[in-house]
Amino acid sequence: MAPGVREEPDDAEHRFELAAPERDGASPQSSKCLSFNRLRPSYIQVAPEFGRARLPELIVSRSRVRSAYAAALSLILAVGALASPLPAMPADTAGVGRDGRPRPGSIEYRLSWGVEASRAARAYSKGVTGRGVVVAMIDTGIGGTSADLFADLSPASTDLVPDRHEDDGDHEHGAQTASLLAGRLDGAGTFGIAYGATLLSIRADRDGSCRKTCAFDADVLARAIEYAVDHGARVIGMPMASRRPIPQIEPALARAAARGVVIVAAAGNDGSDQPHWPGRYASDPRFRDAMIVVGASSRRGDLTRWSNKAGLALDRYIAAPGEQVVVNCTTRFCRLTSGTSYSVSYAAGAAALLLSRDPGLTGPEAAAALLGSARDLADRGPDPLTGRGLLDVRRALQTVDRERDEARG
């Protein structure tokens, strides 16, 4: 999900929040307080037995079926909460080829539909997985039970709030965004677009806020950016949004930009004509060369109606998968969720793939390659609705390879 913000009185302490559409795949019900999965989530229900050649046959437990999505994935959506925790989905060994790469057509690959929509298969065919690139995700952390989802979790991953109290709030957002970015390729559930990258998970949400809506304090977010830079991150994902500027983080953004870090921020989920902050900083000359702001695309390849538009950041805006993406797979269920936060995962992972392909590439060069290779969704060239267009890793790799060959003469 992507971050939105709760409007506070002018004299209130500045805070901003993670938020997702109130119903997965739908537009938020309120633009003032965008909550994180406050209503019942959607699930893909997996039959107990399934073959490797096709996706599992699914059962309808309620009536909320999206036929186009079901036809595309050969899946039926089921709505309802899990009665009790279930063990992880068993590995489908056909999901991983003998060369250790994703196998198109496998259950794992098809559940990870955002990878195909981003056209990342070309990177894998060249052996490019994000290996050697540290990507920081500033979010709600991954939780102790989620660490095995990642092939390379940085030991520097941290929680910036000391003496945090345990709570029963819904703070799975961090594990979800991280899994779409760098989830392990193992034939079980889904995998991340940059599954070989080193994930630096930085938990920065306010203590106790996830009982309602996960929120962030600006000073902690600034420390999170600084921490990411100090621990070698070449890409920073920021899946949160505020309707007001966040001056407290500007020095940290400037330092990250000066160090050549790619900063990928969510556009927001309320359908506004402008991105929220920190994404709107992509239109600020101080940071623009380092920043990409990301809106959410659907499986059909268009910009979702609830995604914030490019606005003033049209030159730095792209769309990436963010509607009805698959997360939290168990033995019988996978969860469907939506928001520009998830689009951040795909765009940040795409940047990691480019930096892995050419370690000599600078952050601004990687960002420029992603922006310049995006597929137009509206008028030719950047426009205030869809910006540069749709994320296209294959075209971005071609750009990087071509420019590297030209530089070699």
Side-chain angles (χ1 to χ4, degrees):
M1 357 35 343
V5 90
R6 175 176 297 169
E7 292 285 353
E8 303 282 359
D10 290 341
D11 58 349
E13 181 181 8
H14 184 78
R15 63 179 263 165
F16 40 100
E17 303 168 345
L18 294 172
E22 291 281 340
R23 298 182 309 277
D24 296 333
S27 59
Q29 293 180 350
S30 167
S31 61
K32 290 188 176 180
C33 183
L34 307 182
S35 68
F36 169 40
N37 289 331
R38 184 171 292 171
L39 301 185
R40 284 191 297 256
S42 298
Y43 289 92
I44 299 170
Q45 184 177 2
V46 182
E49 297 179 0
F50 54 84
R52 293 175 178 171
R54 57 191 296 274
L55 283 175
E57 182 178 358
L58 302 176
I59 303 167
V60 179
S61 63
R62 292 183 185 262
S63 61
R64 207 170 84 198
V65 176
R66 294 183 176 271
S67 59
Y69 184 79
L73 282 177
S74 302
L75 296 176
I76 300 174
L77 305 184
V79 179
L82 293 176
S84 59
L86 294 171
M89 179 179 286
D92 169 22
T93 55
V96 184
R98 292 182 179 179
D99 54 6
R101 301 171 188 169
R103 177 168 292 179
S106 68
I107 293 170
E108 185 181 34
Y109 192 89
R110 296 172 73 185
L111 288 174
S112 308
W113 69 264
V115 170
E116 178 67 21
S118 301
R119 303 179 77 177
R122 182 180 180 87
Y124 310 143
S125 70
K126 293 177 174 290
V128 178
T129 66
R131 185 182 178 88
V133 178
V134 178
V135 185
M137 184 63 79
I138 302 173
D139 208 320
T140 64
I142 60 169
T145 59
S146 303
D148 61 349
L149 295 176
F150 311 99
D152 191 1
L153 179 63
S154 171
S157 296
T158 190
D159 184 345
L160 294 181
V161 176
D163 302 319
R164 183 184 295 276
H165 297 89
E166 292 296 325
D167 63 68
D168 56 358
D170 191 353
H171 39 66
E172 293 182 340
H173 185 268
Q176 293 170 349
T177 56
S179 69
L180 295 171
L181 165 65
R184 182 192 300 269
L185 174 69
D186 58 5
T190 62
F191 67 94
I193 185 171
Y195 59 86
T198 300
L199 172 66
L200 175 62
S201 175
I202 304 175
R203 184 171 184 181
D205 55 296
R206 177 184 290 178
D207 192 12
S209 68
C210 288
R211 292 189 183 95
K212 294 183 178 180
T213 301
C214 297
F216 295 80
D217 294 320
D219 60 334
V220 180
L221 184 59
R223 286 196 287 119
I225 298 168
E226 295 277 5
Y227 186 92
V229 173
D230 290 341
H231 288 81
R234 299 202 65 191
V235 184
I236 299 175
M238 302 187 70
M240 65 282 299
S242 168
R243 290 189 179 89
R244 292 181 289 173
I246 317 166
Q248 297 94 324
I249 74 169
E250 291 175 10
L253 288 176
R255 180 170 177 245
R259 292 281 290 270
V261 177
V262 181
I263 304 163
V264 183
N269 297 334
D270 62 15
S272 298
D273 293 337
Q274 300 289 342
H276 290 324
W277 284 274
R280 203 185 302 187
Y281 281 123
S283 62
D284 189 318
R286 295 175 295 171
F287 319 116
R288 57 174 288 121
D289 288 346
M291 291 196 69
I292 298 173
V293 58
V294 194
S297 62
S298 70
R299 185 174 174 83
R300 297 183 302 274
D302 53 9
L303 189 69
T304 64
R305 62 184 178 86
W306 47 261
S307 177
N308 286 28
K309 309 308 184 289
L312 295 173
L314 73 169
D315 285 329
R316 310 296 299 184
Y317 181 105
I318 57 175
E323 183 175 66
Q324 298 282 336
V325 295
V326 181
V327 294
N328 293 64
C329 288
T330 68
T331 302
R332 296 180 57 207
F333 293 92
C334 291
R335 186 174 185 169
L336 298 171
T337 192
S338 300
T340 54
S341 286
Y342 305 114
S343 308
V344 168
S345 300
Y346 287 105
L353 292 175
L354 298 190
L355 293 167
S356 178
R357 173 64 172 171
D358 184 357
L361 205 64
T362 68
E365 288 170 343
L370 288 176
L371 293 163
S373 61
R375 287 175 281 155
D376 284 316
L377 288 174
D379 297 333
R380 186 180 180 89
D383 67 83
L385 292 180
T386 64
R388 295 293 193 119
L390 196 63
L391 174 66
D392 191 326
V393 174
R394 182 172 69 183
R395 290 175 61 175
L397 279 173
Q398 290 171 342
T399 298
V400 168
D401 288 346
R402 181 177 64 252
E403 291 180 352
R404 183 178 61 181
D405 292 343
E406 291 174 352
R408 289 174 176 174

